[in-house]
Amino acid sequence: MSKIIKGIKLRLYPNQAQQAQLWQMFGNDRFVWNQMLAMAKSRYENNPSSHFVNGYQMDALLKTLKQEYPFLRESDSTSLQVVNHNLDQAFKMLFQHKGGQPRFKSRRSSYQSYTGKSKLYVVAKRYLKLPKLGYIKTSKTSQLQNVKIKRYTVSHDPTGRYYLSLQVEAEVNQLPRTGKTVGLDVGVADLAISSDGIKYGTFNARWLEKQATKWQSRYAKRCHRANVAVRQWNHNHKTAKLELDDYQNWQLARVMKSRYQQRIANQRRDYLHKLTTNLVKQYDVIVIEDLKTKNLQKNHYLAKSIANASWYQFRTMLQYKCDWYGKQLVVVKPNYTSQICSHCGFHSGKKALAIREWTCPRCDTHHDRDINAAVNILHKGLKAVG
């Protein structure tokens, strides 16, 4: 039995008072980020040779900040420390030329969150006790048995729902050995083709995608109309000013298109979880090809299909589940896997994508293109691990 770090996401159902308190806590984290960022920028402008104020020094400034702005005491103190840590990391990435310059955060953002490191308590089947918020209703807490919560994040997403994301340390039993190995060739028509000849189809949610596209179009049109109306009103009325948020029609469209997009993402993730768990249970060694998804998506004819297949997410899930359950994932280069005969090793040359089946001119073996590639991937992987 080994210990692992994993994430658990639960739905929150705060009452009206808790919702108001949550938005105050979102705002407090945003306020501390903006204050610390403004301080760092003004410090650099006044004296470019001055030393950077790191995360520990920012934490020391929190006491003074709380005295000046008492509303910051309404937040979990660890969440403000996490803000300082994140800003410190952002500047370090900037100095190492691995990221852009940190930006100020806006209250108009459709996604708001705060992260804390304080202890949470499970008080009932559907209730948790959160710092500063007290008892709050949530979805099933059965997943939180026998785990150690390391940090938590409360978020409000564009769909208008509240979520609690937990980073926990849990114990996992390794799966029994089966003695089986498999090679996987990923594709567009089928998500994965195994060397055993099994084809796993890609995720399909055409109706949801159609609805998301429809509401995305409505959102864009309504937002444009609202912007035009706001500019006209503010031009003609100098005293009473309107804002875009005063028009509710486009906000309804924003929520609807976000909910359809989230349903697609959730169903795709669920499909990938079930598929990868099934593969890890069946095989001890899984060999896959190392594809550069970003490069392949430059082909505009296949970009949407490749994105829908979620090859990177599929590989990531296989990787950590193999690590959890004591299985082995081997990654090999995909060079010539669809061109070499898996029976005799003859290299038949490059073939157009339209050719899905072919016969080896040397040994007369008839091949399915994808299954033949999966067998070659398996041979490469087994050779690599000896």
Side-chain angles (χ1 to χ4, degrees):
M1 186 177 292
S2 59
K3 290 188 176 182
I4 60 168
I5 301 294
K6 69 175 186 177
I8 297 175
K9 191 172 184 179
L10 305 174
R11 176 87 180 272
L12 289 181
Y13 301 93
N15 56 37
Q16 288 188 351
Q18 289 172 333
Q19 288 182 26
Q21 194 171 356
L22 279 172
W23 280 98
Q24 178 66 49
M25 296 168 81
F26 295 152
N28 289 351
D29 275 36
R30 189 175 59 247
F31 178 81
V32 170
W33 172 281
N34 291 341
Q35 287 288 316
M36 295 297 180
L37 180 57
M39 177 203 67
K41 287 191 172 186
S42 61
R43 180 185 175 91
Y44 177 77
E45 290 173 358
N46 295 331
N47 185 9
S49 61
S50 60
H51 292 288
F52 170 68
V53 179
N54 59 33
Y56 295 105
Q57 294 169 325
M58 291 181 191
D59 288 343
L61 295 173
L62 280 178
K63 184 176 180 181
T64 306
L65 209 59
K66 286 181 180 179
Q67 292 174 350
E68 187 175 355
Y69 304 99
F71 58 82
L72 294 178
R73 300 183 184 275
E74 298 180 21
S75 288
D76 178 3
S77 59
T78 62
S79 70
L80 304 181
Q81 295 172 3
V82 171
V83 171
N84 291 338
H85 172 75
N86 292 340
L87 182 58
D88 180 38
Q89 291 298 313
F91 272 113
K92 287 180 179 178
M93 296 292 285
L94 172 65
F95 298 150
Q96 296 172 8
H97 305 287
K98 294 181 180 179
Q101 190 172 359
R103 299 181 180 180
F104 292 103
K105 294 187 177 181
S106 171
R107 65 183 178 86
R108 299 185 186 278
S109 174
S110 57
Y111 179 85
Q112 300 287 342
S113 68
Y114 76 89
T115 301
K117 295 183 289 185
S118 300
K119 288 186 177 181
L120 309 183
Y121 300 96
V122 179
V123 294
K125 185 177 180 180
R126 293 183 181 273
Y127 280 89
L128 288 171
K129 186 177 181 181
L130 269 66
K132 299 293 184 179
L133 287 171
Y135 301 105
I136 186 168
K137 187 176 180 181
T138 180
S139 53
K140 292 181 181 180
T141 56
S142 56
Q143 302 177 70
L144 302 182
Q145 295 178 357
N146 303 320
V147 299
K148 180 183 178 182
I149 300 174
K150 301 183 74 68
R151 67 169 54 197
Y152 70 94
T153 299
V154 181
S155 60
H156 177 270
D157 66 8
T159 64
R161 301 186 177 110
Y162 295 87
Y163 291 96
L164 176 67
S165 302
L166 302 169
Q167 184 189 71
V168 302
E169 184 180 73
E171 293 182 346
V172 171
N173 294 317
Q174 294 190 349
L175 293 172
R177 310 291 288 184
T178 62
K180 295 181 179 180
T181 58
V182 70
L184 295 178
D185 175 55
V186 296
V188 175
D190 296 297
L191 172 59
I193 302 91
S194 74
S195 54
D196 296 338
I198 303 173
K199 296 186 177 182
Y200 303 96
T202 54
F203 171 74
N204 182 10
R206 289 195 180 93
W207 184 82
L208 289 175
E209 289 177 355
K210 185 177 180 180
Q211 295 299 314
T213 303
K214 180 177 72 174
W215 281 101
Q216 176 69 46
S217 175
R218 290 181 178 178
Y219 166 73
K221 292 178 181 178
R222 293 179 184 182
C223 188
H224 173 70
R225 292 169 186 165
N227 271 311
V228 172
V230 165
R231 287 197 297 267
Q232 290 177 345
W233 173 273
N234 292 339
H235 181 267
N236 296 329
H237 301 77
K238 301 300 182 182
T239 54
K241 297 289 185 180
L242 283 180
E243 293 186 1
L244 190 61
D245 291 343
D246 295 327
Y247 289 81
Q248 302 296 319
N249 202 23
W250 73 274
Q251 295 187 39
L252 171 64
R254 177 180 59 81
V255 171
M256 290 299 296
K257 64 104 175 174
S258 298
R259 290 190 176 181
Y260 279 116
Q261 290 169 350
Q262 188 184 64
R263 284 181 63 185
I264 294 170
N266 290 344
Q267 291 185 17
R268 181 187 291 110
R269 192 181 304 110
D270 180 68
Y271 175 76
L272 291 175
H273 271 301
K274 290 176 179 176
L275 175 58
T276 51
T277 302
N278 183 44
L279 288 170
V280 171
K281 286 181 177 179
Q282 287 187 55
Y283 303 101
D284 292 344
V285 179
I286 301 173
V287 187
I288 61 173
E289 51 187 338
D290 184 17
L291 291 176
K292 305 298 181 184
T293 307
K294 187 176 290 187
N295 295 339
L296 291 171
Q297 285 186 321
K298 293 178 182 178
N299 184 338
H300 300 294
Y301 296 101
L302 299 176
K304 183 179 178 181
S305 299
I306 292 172
N308 183 62
S310 299
W311 293 341
Y312 179 79
Q313 194 173 15
F314 175 69
R315 172 178 166 176
T316 303
M317 288 182 178
L318 276 178
Q319 182 67 66
Y320 72 71
K321 288 181 181 181
C322 285
D323 294 339
W324 285 2
Y325 300 116
K327 302 302 179 74
Q328 186 176 9
L329 181 69
V330 182
V331 181
V332 299
K333 292 184 178 181
N335 300 351
Y336 313 116
T337 51
S338 61
Q339 303 172 18
I340 297 174
C341 174
S342 58
H343 186 261
C344 68
F346 177 74
H347 193 298
S348 60
K350 191 174 181 179
K351 299 176 182 63
L353 286 175
I355 301 175
R356 308 314 303 171
E357 296 182 6
W358 58 281
T359 303
C360 177
R362 177 185 290 178
C363 63
D364 294 330
T365 304
H366 188 72
H367 293 294
D368 179 288
R369 180 191 182 113
D370 297 325
I371 297 176
N372 176 69
V375 174
N376 284 327
I377 290 169
L378 175 62
H379 291 166
K380 277 191 172 186
L382 295 179
K383 184 178 179 181
V385 298

